[in-house]
Amino acid sequence: MNRLTRMSVCVAASLVACTERTATPAGPVDAGAPASAVAPTQPVVPDAPPVAPGTAGGAVDLADAGTPDAGPGDAGALAQASGGTDCSAAKLKASTKAAPKPPLPPAVESMRTRIIAAARACDYAELGRLVDEKGKSVRFSFGPDEDAVAFWKQEEARGEPTLARIVQVLELPYAQEGDLYYWPSVHITGFKTEKDVKMLAGVYPKADLESMRKELGSYLGLRVGIDKDGDWQLAVAGD
């Protein structure tokens, strides 16, 4: 083998050795070596592209899986969806009035306090149960209406604070006539003095109360009646 041939063989052998070392490095890769010079030992799996929520076969976005937290503007919608309701009685301050004197019969006092509690809670379902607890006999309108709760809801919706007035009059002095206990007492005793008007301040505007006293001589605002057996008889306004 001549010198030129031996040199060619050596060069070829060197190239093969270099190629093998590059493809399968025996030791740690030099951190300074270019990335393109190092072949990965494991195949790289590319990240899957994001899948839109709801797409068949796609992953479920857990952030959207449940009911999102409501912001301030959604509070009313969520309350409505859960059965919650607002009404005029809910805006009243807590009562500081003592129990009526003289004391009412237990059945009457029980009905009075339960009506107040249901109205303050805007609990129309409970009001409906109290209306029918001892029979369908509650007078609530002088019109053709037949459903007390539906009527009160309509009144509240058009801005009439009916439930608030029911609570307010039931916390005023009462008067008895026969087997019925009436609130407020001026429904039976009539407007006689300025004190009678002041007693109802906040239930109706003062001008309306003065008009009743001077022109009619009697109170024709909302009044509530409960009989001696605790039967809710009326919650009506007008004549």
Side-chain angles (χ1 to χ4, degrees):
M1 182 181 295
N2 60 33
R3 184 176 179 183
L4 180 58
T5 302
R6 286 197 301 269
M7 290 180 62
S8 299
V9 171
C10 289
V11 170
S14 299
L15 289 173
V16 170
C18 290
T19 302
E20 289 177 350
R21 284 196 297 271
T22 302
T24 55
V29 179
D30 185 359
S36 60
V38 181
T41 59
Q42 296 293 334
V44 177
V45 180
D47 293 334
V51 180
T55 302
V60 177
D61 185 352
L62 296 181
D64 294 331
T67 302
D69 291 337
D74 297 327
L78 289 179
Q80 185 176 3
S82 63
T85 302
D86 191 15
C87 70
S88 59
K91 301 176 179 66
L92 295 175
K93 294 181 180 179
S95 176
T96 58
K97 297 182 183 296
K101 293 182 180 181
L104 292 161
V108 179
E109 176 63 5
S110 172
M111 179 58 77
R112 183 186 79 91
T113 56
R114 285 185 291 152
I115 294 171
I116 291 173
R120 281 185 174 275
C122 307
D123 190 342
Y124 287 102
E126 178 62 14
L127 288 170
R129 284 189 287 271
L130 295 175
V131 162
D132 295 335
E133 186 173 270
K134 294 181 181 293
K136 298 180 181 296
S137 59
V138 174
R139 169 66 66 83
F140 60 89
S141 169
F142 290 107
D145 304 275
E146 297 181 357
D147 186 329
V149 170
F151 177 77
W152 293 331
K153 284 183 178 181
Q154 291 172 0
E155 291 289 283
E156 289 278 333
R158 69 187 188 89
E160 283 295 319
T162 303
L163 295 193
R165 286 170 179 163
I166 289 175
V167 171
Q168 289 170 310
V169 299
L170 280 172
E171 293 177 344
L172 293 175
Y174 71 89
Q176 183 179 3
E177 186 175 68
D179 290 337
L180 270 175
Y181 295 80
Y182 289 98
W183 288 265
S185 57
V186 294
H187 172 59
I188 300 300
T189 61
F191 279 121
K192 296 178 180 178
T193 65
E194 185 67 22
K195 182 179 178 180
D196 295 329
V197 173
K198 289 181 179 180
M199 180 175 66
L200 288 155
V203 182
Y204 287 95
K206 184 176 180 181
D208 292 352
L209 295 170
E210 286 288 358
S211 177
M212 291 182 202
R213 184 170 74 92
K214 294 178 180 179
E215 298 176 17
L216 304 173
S218 61
Y219 171 77
L220 295 179
L222 191 140
R223 57 265 192 197
V224 177
I226 304 172
D227 77 7
K228 62 182 180 62
D229 297 321
D231 186 11
W232 189 3
Q233 294 281 311
L234 60 93
V236 67
D239 188 5

